[in-house]
């Protein structure tokens, strides 16, 4: 793991500890409730039907995989992995806390120091963000998608088969691949 990622992890842990002490347990519990997610979706301009469809999509994913819903369209999968889902009628993921006027989603949206995988080509569709230097098991990632390697400059991600044998290595970061077949990939190691 790069020194930058180590410091970022340490900083995140300190912020998490401090925020629990300041906010208290009741505050943390009220922000991750179905009612709060529905309110967030409506505030982002989704109709009741679209908000319900988005929640059903989140619920289907959580029924098959481990994770914790942290926003109307986001699931924390643990170990530095986060899944952001597209909202009904949109092709790109977006932060639902941004206003409608400022939400012109950029192609290849990906947080710095992450390896981002997309379910569709050209950086479209649901997005899986990977941070730590470890093997992440893929579940239900098949067909043509894409990725953006926005990790520390020069970092290469490894794609592995079911036996964890490396079958592909990405070019050095930063690099985006507009079309990538996820079908033979069972594990991704973003470093």
């Amino acid at each position: 793991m790069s020194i930058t990622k180590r410091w970022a992890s340490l900083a995140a842990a300190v912020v998490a500890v401090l925020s629990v002490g300041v906010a208290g347990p009741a505050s943390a519990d009220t922000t991750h409730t179905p009612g709060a997610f529905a309110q967030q979706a409506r505030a982002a301009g989704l109709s009741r039907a679209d908000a319900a469809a988005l929640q059903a999509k989140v619920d289907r994913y959580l029924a098959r995989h481990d994770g914790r819903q942290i926003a109307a369209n986001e699931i924390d999968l643990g170990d530095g992995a986060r899944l952001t889902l597209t909202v009904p009628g949109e092709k790109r993921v977006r932060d639902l806390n941004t206003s409608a006027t400022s939400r012109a989603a950029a192609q290849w949206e990906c947080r710095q120091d992450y390896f981002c995988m997309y379910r569709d080509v050209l950086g479209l569709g649901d997005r899986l963000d990977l941070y730590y230097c470890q093997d992440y098991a893929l579940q239900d990632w098949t067909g043509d998608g894409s990725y953006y390697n926005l990790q520390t400059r020069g970092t290469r991600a490894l794609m592995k088969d079911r036996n964890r044998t490396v079958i592909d290595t990405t070019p050095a970061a930063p690099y985006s691949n507009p079309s990538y077949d996820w079908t033979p990939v069972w594990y991704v190691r973003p470093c």
Side-chain angles (χ1 to χ4, degrees):
M1 181 184 318
S2 73
I3 191 130
T4 304
K5 285 187 179 180
R6 285 185 190 152
W7 280 108
S9 296
L10 179 60
V14 169
V15 168
V17 168
L18 291 176
S19 64
V20 168
V22 173
S27 175
D29 290 341
T30 59
T31 59
H32 291 115
T33 65
F37 298 138
Q39 182 179 11
Q40 181 190 31
R42 286 193 303 279
L46 276 67
S47 68
R48 285 193 185 276
D50 285 344
L54 176 59
Q55 187 60 51
K57 186 176 179 181
V58 169
D59 291 342
R60 281 190 306 275
Y61 189 90
L62 290 173
R64 296 187 317 260
H65 309 289
D66 288 334
R68 181 176 62 93
Q69 186 173 4
I70 58 172
N73 68 331
E74 288 186 82
I75 299 171
D76 182 352
L77 301 171
D79 289 336
R82 180 179 291 181
L83 178 66
T84 306
L85 304 170
T86 57
V87 300
E90 296 182 15
K91 294 182 178 184
R92 293 187 174 109
V93 297
R94 66 175 167 104
D95 179 356
L96 294 183
N97 291 319
T98 59
S99 70
T101 57
S102 67
R103 72 174 176 222
Q107 186 176 12
W108 302 110
E109 185 176 311
C110 184
R111 294 184 294 166
Q112 185 64 46
D113 296 328
Y114 279 77
F115 181 81
C116 297
M117 303 169 47
Y118 305 87
R119 283 204 186 268
D120 204 352
V121 298
L122 300 172
L124 302 175
D126 299 339
R127 183 185 73 219
L128 180 60
D129 303 341
L130 306 176
Y131 183 77
Y132 293 115
C133 185
Q134 66 185 34
D135 283 358
Y136 289 94
L138 299 185
Q139 299 174 349
D140 302 327
W141 282 83
T142 59
D144 290 335
S146 49
Y147 67 80
Y148 187 18
N149 185 1
L150 193 56
Q151 300 178 92
T152 305
R153 184 168 291 283
T155 303
R156 299 173 187 272
L158 306 175
M159 311 301 183
K160 300 180 178 186
D161 66 11
R162 73 173 71 199
N163 299 314
R164 295 185 188 228
T165 302
V166 176
I167 57 174
D168 195 11
T169 303
T170 68
Y175 180 81
S176 61
N177 188 333
S179 182
Y180 190 80
D181 183 9
W182 292 114
T183 304
V185 181
W186 288 55
Y187 299 91
V188 174
R189 185 176 191 89
C191 58

